[in-house]
Amino acid sequence: RRRSTPRRVKDRMVKALVILPDGFEEIEAVCPIDILRRAEVEVTVASLSSSLNVKGRSNITLACDTLLESVKSETYDLLVLPGGPGTKAVREDARAIEAVKRHCTAGKVVGAICAAPTVLKEAGVLPARYTAHFSVAGDLPSILPEKVVTDGNIITSTGAGTAIEFGLALAASVCGKDKSDAVAKAIEFKQ
């Protein structure tokens, strides 16, 4: 099967950055990455650590494209933060917090799923309307009971069970609803 050409925005490719720490939630990372690539987005997966190989919470190892250290100053059209136990390391990483702040300030789309909205809080950019996994309700007391919430340029979602909806919302935000709907149809996802 021929690989599709990445989408273009104003004569350039739509680009997304996904930050993965050790302990990331595999479903929350792989579903959005796959959906965005199907939507022809150029996705860069960056390891928070000093190794390109990152182990998820279920001991599945993913090979990242680059280290966050190598792309920490770049701004993408979309920044994605999967959740999982590794979210704590993202919250404590100054490079990741700066990337979140920079993307929000630039009006870029930022997506956070499961525990990752706590990173938004740490960065001081948690929107008024958001959702997250119930396990972080102590840190985020105003979690909305919705699968996916969009508030301005920030998209949040509850967890692994909503990873496809989250990925499609991310795709719609940077590629348009028609493209997102085409991906949903191609993967037989019924909303």
Side-chain angles (χ1 to χ4, degrees):
R1 187 176 141 173
R2 198 186 106 202
R3 184 168 168 87
S4 57
T5 306
R7 301 290 291 178
R8 293 178 108 28
V9 172
K10 297 182 183 178
D11 297 324
R12 66 172 181 76
M13 301 298 178
V14 173
K15 295 182 179 185
L17 177 65
V18 180
I19 300 175
L20 292 187
D22 284 313
F24 69 95
E25 168 53 63
E26 292 91 340
I27 294 170
E28 296 166 3
V30 174
C31 281
I33 291 167
D34 182 87
I35 288 169
L36 289 166
R37 288 184 174 166
R38 287 172 188 257
E40 303 171 348
V41 173
E42 185 179 313
V43 179
T44 299
V45 182
S47 169
L48 188 71
S49 74
S50 59
S51 171
L52 287 176
N53 294 318
V54 181
K55 188 181 288 188
R57 69 171 300 281
S58 296
N59 293 316
I60 298 171
T61 300
L62 290 187
C64 294
D65 302 310
T66 190
L67 302 177
L68 179 59
E69 184 62 29
S70 300
V71 295
K72 66 181 181 184
S73 305
E74 295 182 31
T75 302
Y76 295 76
D77 301 297
L78 169 63
L79 175 63
V80 183
L81 304 169
T87 300
K88 184 175 188 278
V90 180
R91 286 189 351 224
E92 295 172 352
D93 191 287
R95 300 165 305 167
I97 296 302
E98 180 54 38
V100 170
K101 290 178 181 178
R102 185 177 61 258
H103 282 79
C104 284
T105 299
K108 304 300 182 180
V109 178
V110 176
I113 185 170
C114 188
T118 61
V119 177
L120 304 178
K121 180 181 178 186
E122 184 70 27
V125 299
L126 185 68
R129 297 187 70 250
Y130 64 88
T131 193
H133 193 269
F134 63 83
S135 65
V136 295
D139 289 330
L140 304 173
S142 300
I143 295 172
L144 294 174
E146 299 173 34
K147 292 180 179 182
V148 178
V149 173
T150 300
D151 189 339
N153 62 319
I154 297 178
I155 300 171
T156 55
S157 189
T158 58
T162 61
I164 292 176
E165 289 100 329
F166 178 61
L168 291 169
L170 296 173
S173 72
V174 293
C175 298
K177 185 172 177 354
D178 288 346
K179 188 65 175 179
S180 179
D181 288 348
V183 171
K185 182 178 180 183
I187 65 172
E188 292 283 340
F189 183 77
K190 310 291 190 237
Q191 295 189 30

